[in-house]
């Protein structure tokens, strides 16, 4: 019998993740001797963790908050176009030669979901300017967004994001807001939360009802909890919303296929994800 291959999610924190339910159900369905685990690592533990992947039988990783950008430095093999342009990685494949190849499937997951929702946002407001926000910006600019306004608690991050994208998409205006009020949500088609605010029970709602209008769409990348305070506020006002569950599902398909060289059993994965949600 071949030894069990390990895959998993590296981040800090990772306990909120529903990825193990999805990937482990897929491994079982295809009778693949593998397990998907959670690796909650502090920043000072990263060097050692990445140096010991083969010792731990780790063949592939997903990357989450707050490491999507910093882990690029560990990639010593191919970096996909998406990783190079976005500056963030969420999928790592460990090759037979022990080289680490990096991909970004977050932007594909988000892009596929907003197409499914039939959204074609032109004017966009985004809270957060980390790895996920960059993937979202790339997806939206590719879909002909005309104006993307970013607010991050760290102004240097919003400015860095604007600098990264503005030359790449001349038809899209990228702007950094210096406060959340200046996101000017009143004239936006969509407001996206790509910050971690809302993951914890006692997190505040970053906006108030005066910042919403009936035609805006509120997309929160968070999926655990299923309904953040932001989504609750929007729903109560009759505003259309989505959480990040479908994005999570769509971004997971490609890593599974890259790791196993098999078609992902999508129905199994979606069902497992929903079962996991129902247990929250
Ligand atoms: P990240 O790289 O750490 O970026 C988050 C950014 O938000 C950071 O720049 C952070 O600034 C900023 N931020 C923190 N508090 C803020 C506030 N009050 N106002 C404005 N900005 C604030 O994390 P990430 O990987 O991009 O992930 C962001 C969120 O998206 C997480 O909740 C993650 O779980 C979710 N996500 C979901 C999916 C999905 O498939 N549904 C995919 C990717 C990510 P500081 O660093 O200064 O704190």
């Amino acid at each position: 019998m071949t030894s069990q291959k390990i895959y998993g999610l590296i981040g800090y924190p990772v306990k909120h993740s529903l990825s193990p339910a999805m990937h482990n159900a897929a491994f079982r369905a295809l009778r693949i001797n593998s397990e998907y685990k959670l690796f909650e690592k502090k920043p000072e533990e990263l060097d050692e963790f990445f140096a010991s992947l083969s010792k731990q039988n780790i063949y592939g990783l997903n990357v989450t908050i707050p490491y999507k950008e910093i882990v690029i430095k560990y990639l010593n093999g191919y970096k996909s176009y998406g990783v190079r342009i976005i500056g963030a990685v969420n999928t790592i494949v460990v090759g037979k030669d022990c080289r680490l190849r990096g991909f970004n499937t977050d932007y594909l997951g988000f892009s596929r979901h907003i197409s499914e929702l039939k959204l074609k946002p032109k004017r966009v407001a985004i809270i957060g300017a980390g790895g996920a926000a960059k993937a979202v910006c790339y997806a939206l600019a590719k879909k002909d967004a005309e104006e993307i306004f970013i607010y991050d608690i760290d102004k240097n991050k919003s400015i860095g994001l604007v600098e990264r994208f503005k030359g790449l998409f001349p038809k899209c205006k990228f702007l950094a807001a210096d406060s959340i009020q200046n996101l000017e949500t009143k004239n936006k088609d969509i407001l996206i939360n790509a910050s971690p605010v809302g993951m914890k029970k006692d997190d505040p709602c970053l906006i108030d009802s005066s910042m919403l209008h009936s035609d805006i769409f509120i997309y929160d990348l968070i999926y655990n909890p299923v309904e953040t305070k932001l989504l609750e506020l929007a729903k109560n006002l009759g505003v259309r919303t989505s959480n990040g569950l479908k994005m999570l599902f769509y971004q997971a398909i490609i890593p599974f296929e890259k790791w196993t060289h098999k078609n992902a059993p999508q129905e199994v994965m979606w069902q497992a994800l929903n079962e996991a949600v129902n247990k929250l």
Side-chain angles (χ1 to χ4, degrees):
M1 195 172 139
T2 53
S3 68
Q4 190 183 51
K5 290 184 175 176
I6 304 298
Y7 300 90
L9 176 70
I10 175 147
Y12 191 84
V14 289
K15 288 190 188 82
H16 65 277
S17 175
L18 301 181
S19 292
M22 231 185 335
H23 286 288
N24 287 326
F27 290 142
R28 282 192 300 275
L30 299 186
R31 297 177 185 281
I32 294 172
N33 182 21
S34 293
E35 189 182 352
Y36 188 100
K37 295 184 174 179
L38 294 177
F39 298 105
E40 185 159 292
K41 299 289 169 189
K42 295 188 178 134
E44 61 272 23
E45 295 172 323
L46 290 182
D47 284 350
E48 198 188 325
F49 176 75
F50 277 96
S52 64
L53 294 182
S54 42
K55 217 160 76 186
Q56 298 184 68
N57 244 7
I58 295 174
Y59 284 78
L61 290 167
N62 285 134
V63 185
T64 190
I65 175 178
Y67 298 140
K68 286 178 195 280
E69 295 163 272
I70 197 170
V71 299
I72 292 181
K73 71 176 181 189
Y74 298 105
L75 301 177
N76 53 3
Y78 171 79
K79 291 182 196 73
S80 73
Y81 181 70
V83 168
R84 282 178 278 136
I85 211 150
I86 294 166
V89 58
N90 76 320
T91 299
I92 295 175
V93 178
V94 184
K96 283 193 185 121
D97 54 3
C98 292
R99 287 199 173 272
L100 270 54
R101 295 186 284 134
F103 304 86
N104 191 306
T105 68
D106 277 339
Y107 87 87
L108 295 168
F110 178 77
S111 188
R112 188 163 166 193
H113 188 207
I114 62 162
S115 296
E116 188 178 284
L117 292 166
K118 300 198 175 2
L119 296 175
K120 287 186 184 161
K122 295 290 175 208
R123 287 169 305 278
V124 178
I126 303 181
I127 304 171
K134 287 181 177 144
V136 163
C137 278
Y138 181 59
L140 291 168
K142 268 172 73 95
K143 283 184 180 288
D144 300 325
E146 290 166 2
E147 184 185 291
I148 301 185
F149 232 113
I150 312 284
Y151 168 72
D152 192 286
I153 198 163
D154 178 347
K155 193 159 184 226
N156 291 328
K157 287 196 182 169
S158 335
I159 292 169
L161 189 152
V162 168
E163 290 302 316
R164 170 175 287 274
F165 286 111
K166 71 176 182 199
L168 293 171
F169 295 98
K171 287 188 186 147
C172 184
K173 226 186 324 167
F174 289 90
L175 300 153
D178 54 10
S179 70
I180 202 151
Q181 289 76 18
N182 287 345
L183 269 179
E184 293 168 11
T185 46
K186 284 286 181 201
N187 64 3
K188 299 295 184 291
D189 305 320
I190 188 167
L191 167 68
I192 299 162
N193 180 33
S195 84
V197 182
M199 291 173 82
K200 293 196 214 116
K201 232 180 173 174
D202 51 357
D203 277 348
C205 182
L206 289 176
I207 63 158
D208 61 54
S209 54
S210 70
M211 293 175 73
L212 298 180
H213 59 86
S214 55
D215 291 331
I216 199 166
F217 192 101
I218 306 293
Y219 195 110
D220 200 326
L221 264 59
I222 295 171
Y223 55 84
N224 183 4
V226 174
E227 189 169 283
T228 57
K229 286 179 189 152
L230 172 64
L231 294 183
E232 195 184 342
L233 173 76
K235 269 191 187 167
N236 287 340
L237 294 169
V239 171
R240 291 170 305 152
T241 63
S242 175
N243 67 14
L245 195 69
K246 251 314 177 48
M247 173 179 172
L248 177 77
F249 170 62
Y250 286 137
Q251 66 74 37
I253 293 166
I254 297 169
F256 185 89
E257 296 186 343
K258 284 193 184 296
W259 296 332
T260 62
H261 305 288
K262 295 191 190 310
N263 289 333
Q266 296 190 27
E267 276 179 30
V268 170
M269 292 168 82
W270 181 236
Q271 195 187 330
L273 195 53
N274 281 291
E275 281 168 11
V277 165
N278 290 334
K279 285 185 198 149
L280 290 176

